[in-house]
Amino acid sequence: MIIVQTLLGGITRLTGSGLSITEWKPIMGAIPPLNEKEWNLAFDGYKHTGQFKYLNSDFTLSDFKFIFFWEWIHRLWARLLGVVFIVGFIWFLVKKYFDKGMMQPFIILFLLGALQGVIGWIMVISGLNDTHLYVDHIRLATHFVAAMILACYTLWFALQLLIPAEQRVTDNRLHNFTLIIISLLFLQLVYGAFMAGLKAATSAPTWPTINGEWIPGKLFSESLINNNINVHFIHRELAYILFVLLIWWFVKALKLSKIKAQPLFKKSLKWPAILIVLQLLLGICTILSAPTMVVGKFGQYQFLAELHQLTAMFLLMSLLVNLYVVKKTTY
């Protein structure tokens, strides 16, 4: 459900739908407009945003309903996540399936989920004015990374419950190497969110160069987090570095699997290498398809961008599984 929620957030961003709902009603917001009068009131709220005034001023009510749907379903799914968590928690608590060691992680999960909702609204507020066309890209990155932290914590907790100690292998070097790659991948995810927030893919829809340049001319004179082209360049270079490191990681992991023949490790070690190749190809295809992007629509570019985001999440999860399976020596 967290992965689906993140994808819905991606669609919301790619279709420019995030500012269509200008109010935050945690309970009553689950009910969409039910008649023409309510739809027009919601549309009037959107008309006060800079996005409508300077980008979507030709929108009809039908166009508005399309972007409203994606933001509404994104928020509704977040509410459903909370319901599933609370109902499941109460059920297992009543059935006494929990032990004392499981209570703290569940509390942390609940707090991370609640925090994600707050961060999401803080992000939306940054675009609810008559000057900005989109939400702030730094707040967007914070929202996305917080979602990945929630997903990773959920998965790690599940791995602790599901994988017996005898199915894990021990190797300090590979564990540390995996941790370094995950840290670098998180930086890459931040820049991926910057790319999304700044619409940087459309600024340079070329490959292998960036608008004919191998190194942007303003790389050392303009901001590395606010300049579209510089953000685009860093995102690409991090992708190449991750590709090289993960191929190297795969070779080392393969050697270790021959020494410590653990079936689970043999299954898990192949996925990071497969996913980084797929991710790189999807990234290139997404960039080249950027000229097909139409604001307020879901077309070829948006589809490829969603696949790119989904593969990034799977890559992160595959590395996290390997980080758990290959543990450090305990003394």
Side-chain angles (χ1 to χ4, degrees), residues 233-305:
F233 174 77
I234 293 172
H235 188 58
R236 287 196 194 188
E237 299 312 306
L238 285 172
Y240 301 145
I241 293 170
L242 279 167
F243 175 77
V244 172
L245 288 177
L246 277 167
I247 296 303
W248 184 15
W249 180 94
F250 175 71
V251 172
K252 292 174 71 68
L254 201 59
K255 290 180 180 178
L256 179 63
S257 70
K258 293 177 180 178
I259 300 171
K260 301 180 179 182
Q262 182 55 253
L264 179 60
F265 181 47
K266 286 187 174 182
K267 289 180 181 179
S268 65
L269 69 85
K270 63 185 178 183
W271 285 108
I274 293 171
L275 288 168
I276 190 61
V277 172
L278 179 60
Q279 179 68 343
L280 200 62
L281 292 174
L282 282 170
I284 294 168
C285 292
T286 302
I287 288 169
L288 295 177
S289 70
T292 68
M293 186 188 76
V294 178
V295 177
K297 304 294 181 182
F298 191 86
Q300 178 186 357
Y301 168 75
Q302 287 87 347
F303 177 72
L304 288 170

Side-chain angles (χ1 to χ4, degrees), residues 200-236:
T202 59
S203 301
T206 59
W207 188 83
T209 64
I210 296 179
N211 292 338
E213 295 182 313
W214 289 103
I215 300 177
K218 297 182 178 180
L219 181 64
F220 301 106
S221 60
E222 298 285 344
S223 172
L224 299 180
I225 61 174
N226 294 313
N227 181 277
N228 293 24
I229 299 299
N230 288 346
V231 165
H232 195 138
F233 174 77
I234 293 172
H235 188 58
R236 287 196 194 188

Side-chain angles (χ1 to χ4, degrees), residues 304-321:
L304 288 170
E306 278 292 272
L307 283 180
H308 188 52
Q309 184 183 42
L310 178 63
T311 307
M313 289 190 283
F314 284 160
L315 175 59
L316 177 61
M317 299 301 152
S318 70
L319 283 167
L320 196 72
V321 169

Side-chain angles (χ1 to χ4, degrees), residues 127-246:
L128 292 179
N129 53 64
D130 59 2
T131 57
H132 291 84
L133 299 182
Y134 302 103
V135 298
D136 179 74
H137 67 287
I138 295 176
R139 296 189 189 187
L140 173 67
T142 304
H143 190 43
F144 176 61
V145 170
M148 292 301 93
I149 291 173
L150 174 60
C152 286
Y153 190 84
T154 306
L155 178 58
W156 190 266
F157 184 28
L159 292 172
Q160 290 177 320
L161 299 174
L162 295 171
I163 297 180
E166 60 270 16
Q167 292 187 21
R168 302 171 71 187
V169 299
T170 303
D171 191 274
N172 288 1
R173 289 185 177 181
L174 191 62
H175 180 92
N176 292 336
F177 192 18
T178 309
L179 193 58
I180 290 170
I181 293 176
I182 289 175
S183 301
L184 188 61
L185 180 57
F186 261 100
L187 178 62
Q188 173 70 326
L189 292 175
V190 170
Y191 268 88
F194 287 170
M195 283 276 291
L198 293 170
K199 305 293 185 287
T202 59
S203 301
T206 59
W207 188 83
T209 64
I210 296 179
N211 292 338
E213 295 182 313
W214 289 103
I215 300 177
K218 297 182 178 180
L219 181 64
F220 301 106
S221 60
E222 298 285 344
S223 172
L224 299 180
I225 61 174
N226 294 313
N227 181 277
N228 293 24
I229 299 299
N230 288 346
V231 165
H232 195 138
F233 174 77
I234 293 172
H235 188 58
R236 287 196 194 188
E237 299 312 306
L238 285 172
Y240 301 145
I241 293 170
L242 279 167
F243 175 77
V244 172
L245 288 177
L246 277 167

